[in-house]
């Protein structure tokens, strides 16, 4: 079998990488063709094309806009071997996690997210390197969703932004990075399984061959229903518990960033006020009302466990959902997807806690 040149599609969404200075700050304005012009050396590695589907600051990213990116992959899936999504860094971790586990079903090719800390027009930009590296990895014979940033390849569900201005802005949380890109060469980690993440080659299809639903003859389809009636709540010493009454009335799910390995206040905190309930008691009221309660941690590494402390055993009996070592970004998108697809809380819990 001879060497086949890969066809790569860049899907541009805006972000810092595509921004220019408006006089009042950076604004996304550069289209995908201009982005591609900044990496001319990539033409010797693959055939590259691009589409601009939006041009937004990623702070304005929403699940409905995430759907447009998923649809763009599905619509162009049969004509390209890999995809690069240029995206603002602030919500990139949410988008990458969402595509990987939930929106894109039957994905057999690489979808690679990247962005930059400085605009691509800036003299000291990191954008050219990140975009070049992302395209290089999109040419690999692997499948799945990844983030490529500062030479590191991170699984989509484990990418977390940890720095606001430095080039090494993203880190792989609770798992070894999948690979590195060094001078255009991909070096895989010892833990990376090419069998698990193997590239699946499909025949090219024409527009007339596409089925009537959101899929095509490759087997890929976008399942984009998301429930946005959730809240992420970070605990702090002295938090007032009436917020949980509001959650019970207005939301279907809440993700609670607990202390440490799963610490939740289990006393009222104000012993002089008998009417002041503990957080643990309020969580029990939520689960009894059919609200999905996910317990995660404020800590960056090693995840949450309810087996260590007494309060954890109390919470376990209340049928809370344990996020384990998922990032807040990943668990947020997973809960949105779960609540849109399951009505029984036992099914939501089973899906959320599945590896």
């Amino acid at each position: 079998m001879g060497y086949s040149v890969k066809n790569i599609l860049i899907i541009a969404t805006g972000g810092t990488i595509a921004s220019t200075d408006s006089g009042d700050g950076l604004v996304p304005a550069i289209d995908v063709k201009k982005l591609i012009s900044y990496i001319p050396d990539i033409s010797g590695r693959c055939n590259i094309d691009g589409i601009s589907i939006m041009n937004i600051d990623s702070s304005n990213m929403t699940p409905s806009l995430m759907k447009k990116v998923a649809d763009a992959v599905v619509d162009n899936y049969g004509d390209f071997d890999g995809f690069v999504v240029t995206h603002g860094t602030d919500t990139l971790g949410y988008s990458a996690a969402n595509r990987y586990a939930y929106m894109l079903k039957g994905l057999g090719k690489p979808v690679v997210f990247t962005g930059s800390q400085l605009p691509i027009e800036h003299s000291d930009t990191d954008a050219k390197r990140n975009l070049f590296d992302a395209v290089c990895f999109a040419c690999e014979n692997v499948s799945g969703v990844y983030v490529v940033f500062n030479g590191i390849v991170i699984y989509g569900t484990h990418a977390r932004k940890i720095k606001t201005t430095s080039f090494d802005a993203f880190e792989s949380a609770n798992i070894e990075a999948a690979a590195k890109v060094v001078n255009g060469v991909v070096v895989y980690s010892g833990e990376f399984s090419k069998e698990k993440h193997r590239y699946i080659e499909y025949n090219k299809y024409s527009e007339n061959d596409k089925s009537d639903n959101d899929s095509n003859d490759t087997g890929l389809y976008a399942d984009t229903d998301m429930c946005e009636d959730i809240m992420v709540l970070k605990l702090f010493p002295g938090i007032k518990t009436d917020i949980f009454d509001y959650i019970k009335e207005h939301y279907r799910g809440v993700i609670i960033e607990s202390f440490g390995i799963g610490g939740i206040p289990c006393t009222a905190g104000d012993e002089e006020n008998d009417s002041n309930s503990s957080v643990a008691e309020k969580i029990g009221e939520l689960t009894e009302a059919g609200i999905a309660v996910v317990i995660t941690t404020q800590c960056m590494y090693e995840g949450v466990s309810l087996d260590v402390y007494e309060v954890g055993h109390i919470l376990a009996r209340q049928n809370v959902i344990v996020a384990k070592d998922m990032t807040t970004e990943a668990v947020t998108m997973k809960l949105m997807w779960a609540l849109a697809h399951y009505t029984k809380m036992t099914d939501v819990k089973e899906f959320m806690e599945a590896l």
Side-chain angles (χ1 to χ4, degrees), residues 248-270:
K248 183 166 64 174
E249 295 298 322
H250 294 87
Y251 294 94
R252 292 185 58 202
V254 60
I255 298 162
I256 299 175
E257 293 189 341
S258 68
F259 303 120
I261 201 169
I264 300 286
C266 57
T267 61
D270 184 359

Side-chain angles (χ1 to χ4, degrees), residues 25-284:
L26 294 175
V27 176
I30 297 174
D31 68 14
V32 70
K33 300 300 183 183
K34 191 168 184 180
L35 286 177
I36 294 172
S37 73
Y38 280 97
I39 52 169
D41 293 345
I42 204 67
S43 61
R45 293 173 171 263
C46 61
N47 300 318
I48 194 164
D49 199 355
I51 55 174
S52 295
I53 62 172
M54 66 189 80
N55 218 350
I56 65 167
D57 186 303
S58 72
S59 297
N60 296 319
M61 183 59 69
T62 64
S64 61
L65 292 177
M66 291 178 184
K67 179 182 183 297
K68 291 186 177 182
V69 182
D71 288 339
V73 173
V74 172
D75 291 344
N76 293 280
Y77 195 69
D79 296 321
F80 293 90
D81 303 298
F83 303 86
V84 172
V85 181
T86 57
H87 196 290
T89 59
D90 288 344
T91 56
L92 189 152
Y94 290 95
S95 289
N98 196 18
R99 301 302 185 290
Y100 177 70
Y102 326 120
M103 278 192 174
L104 291 177
K105 303 299 183 182
L107 181 64
K109 300 177 183 180
V111 176
V112 185
F113 283 77
T114 194
S116 67
Q117 295 288 67
L118 291 174
I120 202 164
E121 293 180 334
H122 195 286
S123 58
D124 297 321
T125 187
D126 56 330
K128 297 175 187 177
R129 177 193 179 185
N130 289 344
L131 185 55
F132 182 88
D133 288 351
V135 173
C136 288
F137 190 75
C139 291
E140 291 290 292
N141 291 324
V142 298
S143 67
V145 176
Y146 305 85
V147 172
V148 171
F149 214 93
N150 195 47
I152 305 298
V153 182
I154 306 170
Y155 299 102
T157 49
H158 289 271
R160 170 168 269 189
K161 187 177 181 181
I162 60 169
K163 296 181 179 179
T164 58
T165 59
S166 299
F167 287 174
D168 57 339
F170 282 85
E171 192 161 289
S172 180
N174 295 314
I175 192 172
E176 184 181 6
K180 295 180 179 180
V181 183
V182 182
N183 296 323
V185 177
V186 177
V187 181
Y188 289 95
S189 72
E191 297 297 321
F192 187 88
S193 170
K194 286 195 174 183
E195 177 59 30
K196 181 178 179 181
H197 301 280
R198 66 189 179 91
Y199 174 88
I200 303 173
E201 186 172 5
Y202 297 105
N203 294 326
K204 300 291 187 285
Y205 70 95
S206 68
E207 192 68 23
N208 293 330
D209 291 331
K210 295 172 70 175
S211 61
D212 293 334
N213 56 29
D214 291 333
S215 181
N216 51 51
D217 67 345
T218 66
L220 178 74
Y221 67 98
D223 190 345
T224 57
D225 289 341
M226 303 288 282
C227 172
E228 298 180 43
D229 297 330
I230 72 164
M231 173 183 283
V232 178
L233 180 65
K234 183 173 184 175
L235 295 186
F236 59 89
I239 187 171
K240 300 298 184 183
T241 56
D242 54 1
I243 184 64
F244 294 95
D245 298 324
Y246 183 85
I247 291 170
K248 183 166 64 174
E249 295 298 322
H250 294 87
Y251 294 94
R252 292 185 58 202
V254 60
I255 298 162
I256 299 175
E257 293 189 341
S258 68
F259 303 120
I261 201 169
I264 300 286
C266 57
T267 61
D270 184 359
E271 295 179 356
E272 297 179 358
N273 184 357
D274 293 337
S275 66
N276 187 21
S277 302
S278 73
V279 173
E281 288 174 336
K282 286 296 186 180
I283 289 174

